[in-house]
Amino acid sequence: MHDLEAMTEFLDDGLAELEIEIPEDIDKNKLVGTFCTYVDNDYYEWLKDNFQSFFEHGDPDWDWIRKTVAKSLGNS
């Protein structure tokens, strides 16, 4: 779930930076909602790809995972 206010601000800033104006026939709130859906869909695909990589496509390297977990907890 996205913070719609933050997403709206993000789009406003990005569009302003690129000097893009939203056409009058496109409702800004609907554009923000559609962009959120787009981000959600892309994020899910990114998570699936990273899951496959982390767990070596079903053949996990548990020694590497243990080291990675320890490192992330500051237990080098």
Side-chain angles (χ1 to χ4, degrees), residues 15-70:
L15 293 171
E17 184 177 316
L18 296 174
E19 299 179 359
I20 296 173
E21 291 187 27
I22 301 170
E24 290 182 22
D25 63 329
I26 296 178
D27 180 88
K28 184 177 178 180
N29 292 328
K30 290 180 181 176
L31 178 63
V32 171
T34 301
F35 185 71
C36 287
T37 300
Y38 176 83
V39 169
D40 284 341
N41 291 342
D42 188 56
Y43 181 68
Y44 182 70
E45 290 302 316
W46 175 81
L47 281 175
K48 288 191 325 186
D49 289 344
N50 278 280
F51 178 87
Q52 291 296 326
S53 294
F54 189 86
F55 291 102
E56 296 284 335
H57 301 276
D59 187 21
D61 178 348
W62 290 111
D63 289 333
W64 176 84
I65 291 173
R66 283 184 190 91
K67 290 175 189 172
T68 303
V69 169

